[in-house]
Structures are given as structure tokens and as C-alpha cells.
Amino acid sequence: MKKPFKKTKIKRKNMPIIISPKHKILNTLSDFGIVGIGSSAGGLEALEEFFKHAAVNSGLAYVVIQHLDPTREGILPELLQRMTLMKVVEAKDDMLVKQNCIYVIPHNKTMSIYRGRLKLFEPVIKDGLRLPIDYFFRSLAEDVHERSIGIILSGMGSDGTLGLKAIKERFGIVLVQNPASAKFDSMPRSAMESVVVDIVAEAKDLPKKLNAFLNNIIEIEDKPKAFSDNMKAINQIFTMLKHSKDNDFNQYKSNMVYRRIERRMSIHHISNIVSYADFLRDNPTEIKLLFKELLIGVTNFFRDAKLWEALSSKYLTELIKRHSDKDVLRAWIPACSSGEEAYSLAIIFKEMQETMPPEKRISLQIFATDLDDVAIDKARKGVFDENISVDVSPKRLKRFFRSEKNLYHVSNDIREMIIFAPQNLIKDPPFTNIDFVSCRNLLIYLNADMQKKVLDIFRYSINEGGLLVLGSAETIVDDDKTFSQLDGVQKIYMSKIQDKKTFVFHANKDSDEIVKKDFIKKNNIKTLTKIENLAERVIVQQFAPPGLLVNKAGDIINISGHTGKFLELPIGKTNPSIFAMIKEGIRGEFGRAFNKAIKQKKSVTISEIQTDAKQSVNRLDITIQLLSSPSVLKDLVIIVFSEVLLERKNAKGSKHTPEKRNINERTLYRELQKTKENLQANEEEMQTSQEELKSVNEELQSNIEELQSSNEELTTSKEEMQSLNEELHTVNAEMQSKLNNFERVNSDLKNLLNSTEIAVIFLDTKSRITQFTHSATTIFNLRYGDIGRPYTDLTSSIIYPEMKNDITEVLRSLVSVEKEIRSKSDIWYKVRVMPYRSLDDRIDGLVITFLDITVSKVLEYKMRKNEVKSQTLMNSVSNIIISISSDERILSINKSAELFYRVSEALVLEKNYYSVFVPDVLWEKVRTVIASLSKSKASIDFKTTEKDNSGNIKTIDWQANKMIVDEESVSDIIIVGKVCL
């Protein structure tokens, strides 16, 4: 059993005791804050520094989550206890969290918090990646909301990042150790890249900065009228945000916006809203950070698992059945943040698609948009940290992701289903003909008027029978006639029959500022409206003819009265141009008159245009005039529609008889024809004098209908180009990686060749030097500057006159040549000339190697010399000498044997010894004697009686000797015979 560390005064004597204003912290956090601290590799030193400088009576509770060895008990509580006067304990299940205490996660456990009590579980993942920090931080955010404080210290990987997002969403506080001071900076950097961190500092400075942050919040919250009394400064902040990021945060809920502004003020220790506005004006970077803070881009894969289960098992299946006549379903994910929601939908649909019969498969096109360009860029890449394994099952990770360097890359078949694009949902044109919209947890941040506008956009965008999914805290009123509720718990709605023509999208972002002033006061300050203004509005709406206000390009700025008889929405994405919306029968004449009114700067009227073929009595007068005053309306065009009933005109006076009316009509028709001819002549003259404008005009005229109906396709093309650009960046990175690998391999190959001390020269097909090893410089007079020169320009020390011919022959025949040559200094080389084959099996030159064989040549010479000596000695003696192998083959005989047996050595070599030299009657005897030699004896004597070459019988004394080279080699036998006289 381990002995606990003794708590001695000596170890604590120099420890700073920091006392914080406890009552202030408690008032700030409504009870007390709980600090979750996550660390892994190198985190012990950071933890010690943190608690060494932490306030002893801060009123906070600390929970330490560290990556611990699951097989060994830790001593982290004892180590931390030496650094602080606060009580440090190892957490136990259902332990109540108290102030001014430190709780450490036990080894091999997963921990969460619920209602202020710690809950311990067995790890869900026994082996592999564990993310205990993310798990605890998420539960901390859910349990204590704005009282949650997350701190990330030194560590490897990305654990804690998702948890910090959850804390940030709940208005908690996020602190990160400065990566430069961390032993391992992966975790701090991952956190800083994913969320707007409130405080970044060294571990020892984090407690002090956290304390100052909390104290500064009090100073602001003690003045509830701080914002209402400084609306001018608030409006200045909103104006700076709008100019910088083109988004109006006046449309967001005031409480949420003010709290986020307070957060940024606390970070910079600014308690006055006017001072913060001045600070923003002088620091553009702070505007970007405030903008990111206000966006609250928090999301994760398969967020709310029950919703995705309901969609995949029921509602998406029913949606596909209702739209079985389509080839492609269209989905829209507004406010997609970094793309997890869009990818989750794509994965769910891909799994459903694989279960469908091939002939009934419907594809899905997802449009994912967000206001934050940075989030969209991240979503496009489809690269996520390893901590997504908390939300994505191992099966899906294997099927739809590619793991690479601790990152997960979305597979191509999922990525190709989604188009990511930046979009301001409030101001930019919406997508149309949509079958599925998922907009979760956006409406809760918008005020009531803006919520209504967003829902109007969805009503217009979603097809009949399409689905709308909202967040758990969002809803649609029960008496809504355009949506029916399918699932009240999961907030799933279905679009019903609706008249989409009643919705007109105001695309011009400044239209409201140009036409009228909007004096909407914040904080329930109502706008006073004069009675005469209301009267004028009633007169304009009920008695004035319908009209439009457009700019010179034809973009609609404002609509007055009922213009449905003259305008209609084009098919496809909304186009705010008058030329796209005006009805076909009016379009031709209207376009010419519009251009004339702008060119001549005077009022132009088109009289009595027929608007309805079935009711020929209906006629339309259109008046078009370029405005020059008042100044706010200068260079805008007003268009007034006046409907005329000719029958009523005729009824007023009998002089307008049908005959005269026909004559007038024919006269007007001729004048119209003449006008058309004049316009055509003017157009031709203009085309002749301005070829460049003609080309542009022809292109616009030929493509205008296509552009009106395919604006979304252009968005797709833009996305494809962006995707291509990303691919080019990826290819560039891959090429750079390959180049580095090539340099490494080239270096390895050079070192390998140099280590072999083999001289190698590489030639191209024109016999020019492309590369050589260092050893080649001892043969040829080579320098690295000689690369590219013909080898014939070099001098060498070898005697190899036929080298040129051999090189030519190898290039021609592709057959290698191998020779032994000598140098002028008596060094022998084995030269090998071989074709150089590339990886694609192409002959790309030659490789010539020079292997130093001087030692082997010397040994060869000595062996030959010894062989000659042995042969001379054998032939000089009178005894018969026969050499045989262990398998009885004749290896050699001397001259005496040739004379005695009258045979030639060349004729008996490799033949059986017994069949050539031993008489049949002596076979058994001689074989038995020689066989006994192979067992143990090195030599043996025996006699035979044989006939010599003259036929005389001779007695021969034989001695058989075994030649032993080494223990493993097969021995030869030397048989020596002396003829007795």
C-alpha cells in the first residue's frame, strides 16, 4: 500500500496564498463556478504551476481530467496536494462537488457531472482513442451552463475541443494554456483553432487572469442599465460589425448579443460600453473576434441521436416515397457552421440509398450555407479531428472517413453530395425547390420579427410535402397554415399547399435605407408615427396605381400596390430583376421603353398594351421615368402600371365608334411597326460602332433565361472551382511530399552506392553523364560540374579501348556486356555495361559499374600457378597417380598412368575409375579397400597384379589418400601406384 505524502509546513512555507473576494464570485456565478481542467502529455508540470498560483479561497471547484494509464493507479492527488492548501481528493461515484476543493479523475474511469455530483463509469472504449476531457466538459456545460469553466493545458491530440464548444454555447468561460509554453501544444492549438478562447496565458498566469475576468463581469452586471443608457455606443458597435462583416446584429435577441459583448469587455477589463466602442474602432482584430463570438458556431456530428434515428427510420423514407418521381432530392442546411450537420445528413441518406433497389435510387443534393467564411472553408475541406469518434460510430468512421495523421477525411462519395457556400440567410436570395431544410438552434438567437422572416423564407423555399427540422427550443405556431407538425418532440414539420407568389424577396441590402427610414428602437422603445403618414400610406395602397421602384440595372427596390397581374416570379432561384419578373407579353416593349427612358432621361409611356388575350378590352399603360429628385431617389427609375378598359372609354361618348376605333388601332399599329424598325436600325448602328458592347449584349441576351433558371448551378460551379482549388492545394502538398521523399530516396541511394565503394556512372541515351558515385572519381577525372558532358571528354586510368563500341552495342541490342579490364596502375576491374530502365520500362540510358577485383585476380593467379606446379610435379614422377572424386569419377591422371595403361587423360576424364583402370576380378577388392578409406582412415595401402601396356604382368603397390579441404567439403581421393620390378 502506497504511503501518502506528508503535509509539512516546509513544503508550503513559500507558497503564495491568494484570497479572492468570494462573495463577488458567488454573485457572479449565481452559486459557484466549476472549473474543468483537461491535460495529457506534459500536463503534470502545467497542473502544478496552475494550482501553485491558484487562489486558495476562490469560491470555485476544480475537476482535473487527465489521460491516465488505465493499468496503473495514479498518485496525481498526492502530487497536487503538495502545491496547494485546497483539499485534493480522488473523485468517487456520486460525490458532491464543493467549493475550494480539487477533484481528480481516477484511473481507468470515465467521469461526468449531474446536478453537481460526479458520476463515474467504466470506459466505453476499452482500447484505442479515449476522450475523457470532451466527455466531462460536455456534461459540465449541460449541468451548470454559464457557471461552467473549461481549461485546456499541455497535451497531445485534440481531446477537449468539442467540450469547449459546448461550454461556449452555454455562455461558459474558456481558457487555454499558451501553446508556446506547453510541452505539447496539440491540445491547446486545437482548442484555439475551434473556438474563440476567452483567455490565453501561461499555466501559472491562468488563475490570476481568470480571477480578474470574473471580477470584471461583476462590475458590468452591477449596472443593468449600462446598455440601455448607451444605445448610441451599442449602435456604433453594430454599425462597425455591419461594415466589417456585412451582418446586422440588430436582428438578434438583445440579451444574447449584450452577453457576448460583455464577455469581450471582460477579457479586456473594460467596464464602460462607450470605451469598448472606442476600443473596437481602434482594433479591427477585435471586431473579427466579436463577430465570431456572436455567431456561436457550435455543432457536432449526429447531434441529438434520436432525431437522426427518427429521420432515417421514418420521415426521410416517407419523403423519398412522396417524391419518387424525382431523380434528385434537394436539401438545404442554413447556418451549417463547420459542416458536421450537412455531412451527417449525407451519411444517413447514403446508408438509406444503399438499401434501395438500383432502379429506385434517388440521389441527394445538399446546399450547406453559413455567414462565417472561415467555417465554410473548414467545412469544404472535410477534415476533422480524431475526437469526432465520440459522435460517429466506428462502422461509419471506417465506411465514410479516411484516417490520416490523427485526422479524419470525409470520403469523396459523401463530399460530392454537398455544396458549401457563404450566405447571409436574411439578405441573400434563398434556395428554391427544396425538399428538406434543417435549421436547428438559429431561430433562438433571432428576435421575433426576424424569426417570422426566416420562416417566410422557408415557406417559400420548401416544396409541398417537404420537411423542415428545427431545434428543440424552436417551434412554429399551431395555427400555421403552411406547415403541419409531424413530430412535436423532434420538431419535424411538413410543408403544405401554399401560394409562393405571395412572397417577394428583397435582395437589395440597402433598399429599406433608400426608400424609407426605419426608426425601430431597441429595448421596447416604440416608434411614434404621425397620422398623416398613415393616411398617405392608406391612399397609396388602396387608390394609387401599382408601381415599382428599380435601379438602372432593373433590380427591384420597392413594390407598391398589387402588381401580380403584370409580374410573376421566374422558375428557379429568385431573381429580383424587373426584366425577369415582368410577364412575357409585356417584356419586349417594356425593355425598349426602359432603355429609352434612361438614355433620354425623360418620361416614356407605353400605351394600351394588351395584357390578356381572352379579354381584348383590357389594355395597359406603362409609364417609366428616371428620377432626379429628391436626392435619395436620384438615378432610380419609377414604373407605374395603369390598367385601361377600352369599353368604358367608348361608353362615355358615341363619337368613338367601332369603325373609328379600328382605324385608330391600324394607325397605332403602323406607328408601332415604324417605331420597331427605327429601334432595329438604331440597334444595328450601335452594334456596328460598338463591337465589344455588341458581343457582351449578345452573350447576355442569349444566356439571360439560362442565368435566371440556373443561378443555383452557377453556385454549384463556384463550389466546384473552390473544390478544384482545394484539390490543387492538396495535389501541391502531395507533390511537395513526394519531392521530399524523392530527395530522401536520392540521398539514401547515393549513400548506399558510396558505401559499396563500387564506381558507377549513369549515362543518358546520348552518352552524356547524368550521375556518378564518389568512387568513380578514382577512375575518371570527374567533378560534379561534368554532369551533362559526354563521357568521351573525360580522361581515365583504365585500359579499355573498346568501351565506346560496347556502349553503342548495349544501346542497340539492350544486352548487357561484362568484361575484366586493367588500369594503368595494375588495378583490375570487372566492368558491366547495362541498359538503364525507368519505372515505366523505358530505356533511358546506361549504367556502367566498375568493381575492383584486384584481390581476386591475384588469388586467381596464385591458384593457377599452384595448379601448374602440381601438374608438373605429378608428371615428373614415375609412379602412377590417379585423382578420383568421392563418387568414383576420374578427375586427373599423370603421364606415367597414361603410359602404363595406354590411355589419354582427355579420354578418361569424368569416367568411372573402376570401369577404366581396375580389372573385373579386382573390382570387389579395390572398391572395398577404398570404401573403408571414407569412414575413418586418411590413407590405406593395397596391392594389385595387372598387365602393363606390353602385356607383362606387374605387381603394383597402391596407396589411396583422402584429400580433406574442410569438414564440410566432399573429399577427393589420390591413388598412387608404384610398379614393382
Side-chain angles (χ1 to χ4, degrees):
M1 185 175 179
K2 297 182 180 179
K3 296 182 179 180
F5 287 90
K6 294 182 179 180
K7 302 177 182 179
T8 63
K9 294 182 179 179
I10 297 176
K11 293 182 180 179
R12 299 180 181 178
K13 186 170 71 172
N14 298 323
M15 193 178 301
I17 300 178
I18 305 171
I19 306 297
S20 294
K22 179 178 177 181
H23 64 281
K24 290 188 176 181
I25 300 295
L26 295 180
N27 291 337
T28 301
L29 299 175
S30 301
D31 190 1
F32 65 90
I34 300 179
V35 183
I37 305 177
S39 69
S40 65
L44 177 58
E45 181 180 339
L47 284 168
E48 290 177 343
E49 286 293 317
F50 179 90
F51 286 114
K52 185 178 179 181
H53 295 83
V56 176
N57 194 24
S58 65
L60 302 173
Y62 300 89
V63 181
V64 178
I65 310 295
Q66 194 176 34
H67 293 172
L68 302 173
D69 185 348
T71 61
R72 298 178 57 187
E73 264 190 57
I75 58 172
L76 184 59
E78 291 88 342
L79 295 175
L80 295 182
Q81 188 65 78
R82 299 161 60 183
M83 297 293 112
T84 179
L85 293 174
M86 287 185 286
K87 184 179 179 180
V88 183
V89 297
E90 187 175 73
K92 291 181 171 53
D93 188 35
D94 206 38
M95 177 179 281
L96 180 64
V97 176
K98 299 179 180 180
Q99 294 172 265
N100 305 318
C101 293
I102 302 172
Y103 302 88
V104 179
I105 186 174
H107 76 289
N108 200 30
K109 293 290 182 181
T110 297
M111 187 162 68
S112 66
I113 186 170
Y114 180 68
R115 293 186 177 180
R117 292 183 176 273
L118 299 176
K119 304 294 181 180
L120 299 181
F121 308 93
E122 292 295 326
V124 178
I125 302 175
K126 296 295 183 182
D127 299 311
L129 179 65
R130 296 185 183 183
L131 303 169
I133 304 174
D134 273 329
Y135 192 86
F136 180 79
F137 280 7
R138 283 184 173 185
S139 67
L140 180 65
E142 288 293 328
D143 195 49
V144 297
H145 300 279
E146 69 274 8
R147 292 188 288 114
S148 58
I149 302 171
I151 301 179
I152 290 294
L153 302 179
S154 172
M156 299 179 66
S158 59
D159 191 11
T161 299
L162 294 179
L164 290 184
K165 287 183 178 181
I167 291 175
K168 200 71 176 176
E169 184 183 18
R170 299 289 185 173
F171 296 96
I173 304 170
V174 171
L175 298 87
V176 171
Q177 181 181 0
N178 192 327
S181 67
K183 280 191 175 181
F184 297 91
D185 62 358
S186 297
M187 281 172 51
R189 289 192 183 279
S190 176
M192 294 176 64
E193 291 170 0
S194 301
V195 298
V196 179
V197 178
D198 297 317
I199 298 173
V200 179
E202 294 186 18
K204 64 180 181 180
D205 297 328
L206 287 175
K208 180 180 178 181
K209 289 184 178 293
L210 175 60
N211 184 61
F213 183 94
L214 295 173
N215 285 333
N216 198 56
I217 291 178
I218 303 306
E219 294 181 9
I220 297 173
E221 291 188 350
D222 283 346
K223 300 177 181 179
K225 296 183 179 181
F227 289 96
S228 60
D229 293 343
N230 293 280
M231 284 306 301
K232 183 177 179 180
I234 290 291
N235 290 331
Q236 289 176 355
I237 293 174
F238 287 162
T239 301
M240 285 185 279
L241 286 169
K242 186 172 183 180
H243 287 331
S244 176
K245 294 296 182 179
D246 196 23
N247 189 59
D248 188 3
F249 286 99
N250 277 305
Q251 301 161 345
Y252 286 61
K253 288 183 178 178
S254 301
N255 290 338
M256 186 278 296
V257 174
Y258 294 165
R259 291 180 71 177
R260 296 291 174 178
I261 293 176
E262 286 177 355
R263 175 62 51 82
R264 297 307 304 173
M265 292 171 61
S266 300
I267 292 171
H268 298 290
H269 300 169
I270 299 174
S271 60
N272 186 283
I273 190 68
V274 177
S275 300
Y276 184 67
D278 295 336
F279 180 77
L280 275 177
R281 192 177 295 105
D282 297 333
N283 295 273
T285 303
E286 177 64 17
I287 296 178
K288 296 179 181 179
L289 293 174
L290 177 59
F291 174 78
K292 193 171 182 66
E293 180 88 35
L294 290 169
L295 288 185
I296 322 171
V298 180
T299 183
N300 52 272
F301 281 93
F302 301 103
R303 191 177 192 181
D304 190 353
K306 292 182 179 179
L307 168 67
W308 293 105
E309 183 179 351
L311 287 174
S312 60
S313 63
K314 182 178 180 181
Y315 298 111
L316 279 178
T317 304
E318 294 175 353
L319 177 66
I320 293 172
K321 290 179 181 179
R322 288 196 300 270
H323 297 79
S324 59
D325 56 332
K326 288 188 175 183
D327 294 329
V328 180
L329 288 179
R330 293 159 60 88
W332 181 18
I333 314 290
C336 70
S337 188
S338 50
E340 286 90 335
E341 179 99 355
Y343 286 120
S344 299
L345 177 62
I347 290 172
I348 288 292
F349 193 86
K350 193 70 175 179
E351 292 174 341
M352 296 177 60
Q353 190 183 49
E354 292 172 351
T355 62
M356 303 177 192
E359 65 277 4
K360 293 185 178 181
R361 286 183 180 176
I362 299 176
S363 59
L364 178 67
Q365 180 70 72
I366 303 174
F367 301 94
T369 62
D370 197 274
L371 184 64
D372 188 358
D373 292 340
V374 176
I376 287 295
D377 290 340
K378 181 179 180 181
R380 284 197 184 107
K381 294 176 182 177
V383 180
F384 298 93
D385 291 329
E386 58 186 357
N387 54 15
I388 66 170
S389 59
V390 174
D391 303 305
V392 185
S393 66
K395 181 179 179 182
R396 284 173 173 163
L397 284 174
K398 184 177 180 181
R399 168 66 180 84
F400 300 109
F401 294 85
R402 185 181 77 257
S403 178
E404 184 177 332
K405 296 181 179 179
N406 296 327
L407 296 173
Y408 284 107
H409 297 249
V410 177
S411 61
N412 290 335
D413 55 342
I414 296 298
R415 178 64 185 84
E416 291 170 356
M417 295 172 65
I418 308 172
I419 296 174
F420 290 101
Q423 183 200 40
N424 188 322
L425 177 63
I426 309 301
K427 298 166 65 175
D428 293 336
F431 293 90
T432 57
N433 296 325
I434 299 297
D435 302 300
F436 180 91
V437 171
S438 177
C439 182
R440 296 198 287 160
N441 300 328
L442 171 65
L443 298 181
I444 58 176
Y445 299 115
L446 303 178
N447 59 34
D449 292 339
M450 200 47 56
Q451 288 183 12
K452 183 178 182 301
K453 183 174 181 180
V454 171
L455 289 175
D456 285 341
I457 292 174
F458 293 157
R459 291 185 182 98
Y460 176 72
S461 298
I462 303 176
N463 294 327
E464 179 185 349
L467 297 181
L468 171 64
V469 180
L470 299 178
S472 58
E474 301 165 338
T475 187
I476 297 177
V477 294
D478 295 335
D479 59 348
D480 191 283
K481 297 180 180 180
T482 55
F483 287 104
S484 60
Q485 188 179 83
L486 299 181
D487 192 325
V489 177
Q490 304 302 333
K491 304 297 182 181
I492 302 175
Y493 301 86
M494 184 176 70
S495 176
K496 298 187 290 187
I497 301 175
Q498 54 185 298
D499 182 11
K500 295 186 178 183
K501 292 184 179 181
T502 59
F503 173 80
V504 177
F505 182 79
H506 294 277
N508 192 303
K509 63 182 180 181
D510 296 324
S511 61
D512 293 337
E513 297 177 4
I514 294 175
V515 180
K516 57 183 179 180
K517 295 182 179 180
D518 185 7
F519 295 102
I520 300 178
K521 301 291 184 179
K522 298 294 180 290
N523 299 322
N524 299 324
I525 300 177
K526 298 182 179 180
T527 303
L528 298 178
T529 306
K530 295 183 179 180
I531 297 177
E532 52 266 28
N533 291 340
L534 294 175
E536 290 177 3
R537 183 179 299 176
V538 171
I539 293 172
V540 170
Q541 291 179 352
Q542 297 188 12
F543 300 101
L548 300 171
L549 187 67
V550 302
N551 59 21
K552 287 184 177 181
D555 296 331
I556 298 174
I557 295 175
N558 190 42
I559 299 176
S560 176
H562 300 285
T563 58
K565 293 183 179 180
F566 323 117
L567 305 179
E568 61 183 0
L569 287 175
I571 298 174
K573 193 172 181 180
T574 301
N575 189 335
S577 174
I578 181 64
F579 302 109
M581 297 179 66
I582 198 164
K583 287 192 174 180
E584 184 69 29
I586 311 174
R587 189 172 297 165
E589 298 244 10
F590 176 81
R592 288 188 286 270
F594 188 88
N595 293 332
K596 183 177 179 181
I598 292 177
K599 184 176 181 182
Q600 298 181 359
K601 296 183 179 180
K602 65 179 183 179
S603 177
V604 176
T605 300
I606 310 172
S607 301
E608 296 189 358
I609 301 174
Q610 181 176 342
T611 61
D612 193 341
K614 296 180 180 180
Q615 299 178 1
S616 59
V617 295
N618 290 343
R619 295 292 186 270
L620 176 67
D621 290 347
I622 303 177
T623 301
I624 307 170
Q625 182 175 350
L626 181 67
L627 301 176
S628 59
S629 62
S631 59
V632 293
L633 300 180
K634 187 177 180 180
D635 291 333
L636 297 181
V637 181
I638 189 168
I639 303 167
V640 179
F641 299 94
S642 300
E643 193 171 15
V644 181
L645 297 177
L646 294 185
E647 289 182 350
R648 293 181 180 178
K649 284 186 176 182
N650 293 337
K652 293 179 181 179
S654 59
K655 61 179 181 179
H656 295 290
T657 61
E659 291 79 3
K660 290 186 177 182
R661 186 178 65 211
N662 292 336
I663 293 173
N664 291 336
E665 288 181 354
R666 288 194 296 270
T667 302
L668 291 173
Y669 179 76
R670 286 192 299 269
E671 291 178 357
L672 180 60
Q673 287 296 106
K674 185 176 181 179
T675 303
K676 288 183 178 179
E677 292 173 2
N678 292 335
L679 286 173
Q680 183 66 27
N682 291 335
E683 289 178 1
E684 292 176 358
E685 182 180 354
M686 182 176 62
Q687 290 171 357
T688 303
S689 61
Q690 300 177 354
E691 286 297 328
E692 183 177 357
L693 291 177
K694 172 188 173 182
S695 175
V696 174
N697 185 58
E698 288 177 354
E699 181 180 355
L700 291 174
Q701 290 296 333
S702 62
N703 292 318
I704 189 168
E705 294 296 333
E706 180 181 354
L707 290 175
Q708 293 168 359
S709 61
S710 62
N711 192 23
E712 293 174 7
E713 281 71 11
L714 288 178
T715 303
T716 304
S717 300
K718 177 184 176 182
E719 172 62 24
E720 290 175 353
M721 292 299 294
Q722 291 169 337
S723 177
L724 178 61
N725 186 41
E726 294 168 5
E727 291 176 5
L728 289 175
H729 281 294
T730 303
V731 171
N732 183 50
E734 291 176 355
M735 293 300 293
Q736 185 64 40
S737 176
K738 289 182 180 179
L739 179 61
N740 295 336
N741 292 337
F742 170 76
E743 292 176 350
R744 178 67 181 176
V745 171
N746 188 41
S747 177
D748 292 344
L749 180 61
K750 184 177 292 185
N751 281 278
L752 174 63
L753 292 174
N754 289 333
S755 66
T756 60
E757 298 183 355
I758 299 175
V760 183
I761 296 178
F762 297 88
L763 305 179
D764 62 13
T765 54
K766 295 184 180 180
S767 300
R768 292 176 299 199
I769 298 172
T770 59
Q771 190 59 271
F772 59 87
T773 63
H774 179 72
S775 299
T777 59
T778 62
I779 302 173
F780 294 88
N781 294 324
L782 275 170
R783 294 177 301 176
Y784 283 102
D786 293 326
I787 292 178
R789 293 178 58 189
Y791 82 94
T792 52
D793 292 352
L794 306 175
T795 59
S796 67
S797 62
I798 58 174
I799 304 173
Y800 188 13
E802 63 274 18
M803 182 176 178
K804 182 176 181 180
N805 294 334
D806 288 346
I807 288 174
T808 304
E809 179 61 23
V810 171
L811 283 174
R812 185 192 65 80
S813 63
L814 305 181
V815 178
S816 301
V817 172
E818 188 173 310
K819 289 185 177 181
E820 295 179 355
I821 61 172
R822 183 171 59 87
S823 72
K824 296 174 182 177
S825 56
D826 288 332
I827 298 176
W828 283 88
Y829 296 97
K830 178 179 284 187
V831 180
R832 183 176 296 163
V833 184
M834 301 172 291
Y836 181 95
R837 294 183 182 274
S838 62
L839 293 176
D840 54 356
D841 202 25
R842 209 168 27 85
I843 303 301
D844 204 16
L846 297 172
V847 181
I848 306 176
T849 61
F850 298 84
L851 179 62
D852 189 344
I853 58 171
T854 304
V855 175
S856 62
K857 290 294 289 185
V858 171
L859 292 175
E860 181 184 355
Y861 173 75
K862 289 181 179 180
M863 290 176 62
R864 287 180 180 178
K865 186 176 180 181
N866 291 334
E867 185 179 353
V868 171
K869 285 182 180 180
S870 300
Q871 192 65 37
T872 303
L873 181 61
M874 287 177 61
N875 290 331
S876 63
V877 299
S878 60
N879 292 342
I880 299 171
I881 301 176
I882 301 172
S883 175
I884 66 174
S885 64
S886 60
D887 56 353
E888 303 176 352
R889 291 180 296 104
I890 299 172
L891 300 178
S892 66
I893 63 176
N894 66 350
K895 292 294 184 181
S896 298
E898 288 180 340
L899 293 174
F900 184 83
Y901 289 108
R902 285 189 176 183
V903 294
S904 172
E905 182 182 31
L907 297 176
V908 299
L909 289 179
E910 296 298 324
K911 292 185 179 180
N912 186 272
Y913 162 70
Y914 297 102
S915 63
V916 175
F917 294 113
V918 180
D920 294 343
V921 295
L922 298 176
W923 271 31
E924 292 297 331
K925 176 183 176 182
V926 175
R927 188 185 293 273
T928 302
V929 172
I930 293 177
S932 65
L933 184 67
S934 61
K935 293 180 179 180
S936 59
K937 297 179 180 180
S939 63
I940 192 169
D941 297 330
F942 64 92
K943 291 184 178 183
T944 62
T945 302
E946 304 178 28
K947 291 182 179 181
D948 62 8
N949 53 8
S950 301
N952 299 319
I953 296 175
K954 300 289 185 180
T955 300
I956 305 174
D957 290 331
W958 295 96
Q959 185 181 46
N961 300 281
K962 182 166 45 173
M963 294 180 60
I964 302 175
V965 180
D966 54 53
E967 295 180 356
E968 296 181 359
S969 302
V970 178
S971 302
D972 295 337
I973 299 174
I974 303 296
I975 304 174
V976 181
K978 181 179 180 182
V979 180
C980 298
L981 300 177

